[in-house]
Amino acid sequence: LSGGGAKGMAHVGVLRVLEEMQVPVDLIVGTSAGSAVGALYATGMSVDDIERRFLELDWLSSFQDDPGRVYKPVRRKQNDWRLPLIPGLGVRADGFHMGGGLIAGQNLGLILNELTRNAALVNDFDQLPIPFRAVATDLETGVEVVIAQGNISEAIRASMSIPGVYAPVRRGGRLLVDGGVANNLPVSVARDMGADVVIAVDITDPLMSTEDIQEAFSVVGQLTTLLTRRNTDDQLALLTDRDILIRPELKGYSSADFYDGPELFEVGATAAREQAVALNRLSVSDQEWQQERTTLTTEQWRQKPVVAIRFHQGERLASEFLRERLRQRIGEPLDIVQLEADLKRIYGLGYYESVTWSLAPSEAGAILTIQAREKSWGPNYLSFGLNYEDNFNGDTRFNLATGLRMTELNRLGAEWQTGVQLGTQPWVRTQWYQP
């Protein structure tokens, strides 16, 4: 399953037709959006459930890091009112710094954790109901990275980390970004896993004509497509007469059309039905199909007791700083809703680039790991404010403000914030906060 942003929902329609025709799937490989759809199906989630979850998903929140005002402490809300412009600009002794992407991926990580919670305790992707691989790209070398084990939500997150938009994922000493940069249609990976027949679903954008390349955004889009189109063509060359290529007709749809799910599902299904003759030779009998579906039935989420909580974080804050903010108790079943609310509150403090959770199995129960990544551009941050008022009767007010927030001044999370405002209502303020 290839990458293509929102157009990846066409993959769901293809999977639906494969089930209608009783075509068994022995393994799945996906890149970017294809890895998200493929992972959900590989964990045993039904096509109906995948469609429902995609239609109910708050796609807009996946492109934001802000947890929402309700999860922020009072002082953060006050700062947001005085200095609402927070460009992600940090300052240290060696100069100014920015993050690795416009979006850290905090909300996206929580969404993927929830979607894949049935496989939260699976470390080896060969142990999933359907063996699965996600393809990412090593940002340092540009080579493809095939992810076969670990946290499956993190694997998806790495595979769909659009360079410059989402911050890269640190995994195994590497910085990983969207797999489309190196291998957008991973036919070779499916072959390496032992596939005899490959059903390749290509939703890669076609190259634009000269007449269509008129504006800056179209130029950037064309450069991105050049990267993915070339490696996709290389992968298409690996297909043989036994393989089946499905290309949904996606003209008029963009990689940002996340709320066109019903149409995209049907576009994918239509493209698959057009290959009905070729797919028919892969279908199995009713009895074989029922046996196949039985083996793919995944065990539904069971609340297992948490026997240990581990913290992976930087050295600037003590582990107790995080532990005190978690309501999860040892020996109690994992409460995902409560846990994610706690992590949002921790993220709302403003110290971390991302705060995620994962589970690992043990004989006694589940081991909960909290991964808190300190902001690479911190711990001191600049923010700005601009205010303009006019009553159209000669009363005009204009203010320009800036502030420096120095955080993590000790292991208990002390902060020192200083700000200045110039204009109609000037002020200078400084505040020390010690939790």
Side-chain angles (χ1 to χ4, degrees):
L1 305 179
S2 77
K7 294 183 294 183
M9 285 189 276
H11 293 315
V12 184
V14 173
L15 293 174
R16 175 171 292 283
V17 172
L18 295 183
E19 290 194 351
E20 291 174 354
M21 299 188 66
Q22 299 184 176
V23 175
V25 176
D26 299 306
L27 57 91
I28 301 178
V29 183
T31 294
S32 195
S35 74
V37 176
L40 297 185
Y41 195 68
T43 61
M45 185 179 290
S46 69
V47 173
D48 286 338
D49 283 344
I50 296 174
E51 289 183 351
R52 177 180 58 81
R53 298 301 296 274
F54 280 179
L55 293 177
E56 294 175 351
L57 191 61
D58 182 1
W59 292 101
L60 185 59
S61 70
S62 69
F63 289 94
Q64 299 173 338
D65 291 321
D66 194 319
R69 244 179 108 74
V70 68
Y71 295 107
K72 295 182 179 180
V74 173
R75 68 183 187 283
R76 288 286 178 264
K77 296 175 184 179
Q78 293 173 338
N79 292 339
D80 289 349
W81 178 74
R82 295 190 185 98
L83 302 165
L85 303 178
I86 306 174
L89 183 62
V91 58
R92 295 197 294 264
D94 57 348
F96 296 98
H97 299 271
M98 297 187 71
L102 297 176
I103 307 165
Q106 171 65 18
N107 287 343
L108 177 61
L110 294 179
I111 289 171
L112 294 176
N113 266 343
E114 201 283 325
L115 287 173
T116 59
R117 66 180 187 178
N118 280 350
L121 293 172
V122 177
N123 184 68
D124 183 354
F125 297 168
D126 283 336
Q127 301 303 314
L128 293 169
I130 301 176
F132 168 74
R133 298 290 186 273
V135 177
T137 302
D138 187 327
L139 186 58
E140 181 180 3
T141 63
V143 302
E144 73 173 34
V145 177
V146 180
I147 306 175
Q149 59 185 5
N151 183 278
I152 192 168
S153 65
E154 184 184 64
I156 303 170
R157 168 74 177 80
S159 182
M160 58 193 300
S161 183
I162 306 170
V165 178
Y166 285 110
V169 172
R170 297 179 182 271
R171 181 185 173 98
R174 293 172 164 177
L175 285 178
L176 303 183
V177 295
D178 196 300
V181 176
N183 191 349
N184 198 49
L185 184 64
V187 175
S188 58
V189 180
R191 289 271 190 252
D192 291 341
M193 291 180 68
D196 298 311
V197 178
V198 174
I199 301 173
V201 187
D202 181 17
I203 59 170
T204 310
D205 288 329
L207 293 172
M208 292 183 287
S209 63
T210 303
E211 292 75 18
D212 296 327
I213 309 175
Q214 301 294 335
E215 301 176 354
F217 285 111
S218 61
V219 172
V220 174
Q222 182 78 337
L223 291 174
T224 303
T225 305
L226 281 171
L227 285 174
T228 57
R229 189 71 261 172
R230 286 181 177 176
N231 66 58
T232 297
D233 289 340
D234 291 340
Q235 293 296 308
L236 290 173
L238 301 177
L239 296 176
T240 67
D241 293 339
R242 299 182 62 190
D243 303 318
I244 299 172
L245 174 62
I246 298 175
R247 276 180 164 159
E249 180 51 61
L250 293 165
K251 185 176 181 180
Y253 294 97
S254 76
S255 57
D257 290 332
F258 290 97
Y259 292 99
D260 290 335
E263 297 175 20
L264 291 167
F265 297 152
E266 188 54 39
V267 168
T270 299
R273 292 187 182 106
E274 290 174 353
Q275 299 295 327
V277 174
L279 291 171
N280 189 58
R281 62 182 171 85
L282 301 177
S283 64
V284 297
S285 66
D286 292 343
Q287 181 178 359
E288 291 175 303
W289 179 250
Q290 290 302 320
Q291 292 176 346
E292 177 78 14
R293 299 313 300 172
T294 300
T295 60
L296 296 183
T297 300
T298 184
E299 180 181 6
Q300 294 301 308
W301 172 256
R302 293 190 307 167
Q303 293 186 337
K304 298 183 178 181
V306 174
V307 296
I309 302 178
R310 298 174 180 172
F311 296 92
H312 293 170
Q313 62 184 101
E315 298 179 352
R316 296 199 290 255
L317 293 175
S319 296
E320 289 75 14
F321 182 84
L322 294 179
R323 190 182 302 276
E324 291 175 354
R325 287 163 172 78
L326 287 183
R327 289 172 289 175
Q328 179 67 49
R329 294 292 177 259
I330 302 296
E332 295 181 359
L334 178 64
D335 186 333
I336 293 181
V337 174
Q338 175 181 274
L339 174 63
E340 292 196 350
D342 291 343
L343 297 188
K344 287 180 180 180
R345 288 189 178 90
I346 293 173
Y347 185 82
L349 296 172
Y351 301 142
Y352 299 103
E353 182 173 347
S354 64
V355 186
T356 59
W357 64 272
S358 62
L359 291 178
S362 72
E363 294 183 0
I367 299 174
L368 173 63
T369 298
I370 305 299
Q371 177 77 45
R373 283 187 55 203
E374 294 175 333
K375 291 181 176 179
S376 58
W377 61 96
N380 308 316
Y381 312 99
L382 291 172
S383 54
F384 305 90
L386 177 65
N387 169 257
Y388 177 82
E389 300 177 34
D390 196 327
N391 67 355
F392 302 102
N393 193 29
D395 185 10
T396 301
R397 300 180 182 184
F398 180 84
N399 298 293
L400 181 64
T402 185
L404 172 64
R405 181 166 59 93
M406 305 173 68
T407 69
E408 305 173 37
L409 297 177
N410 57 40
R411 292 177 63 80
L412 297 178
E415 297 183 15
W416 187 12
Q417 178 162 314
T418 301
V420 60
Q421 178 169 288
L422 303 176
T424 309
Q425 298 170 301
W427 51 253
V428 176
R429 59 183 293 120
T430 186
Q431 182 184 52
W432 174 273
Y433 173 78
Q434 177 65 66

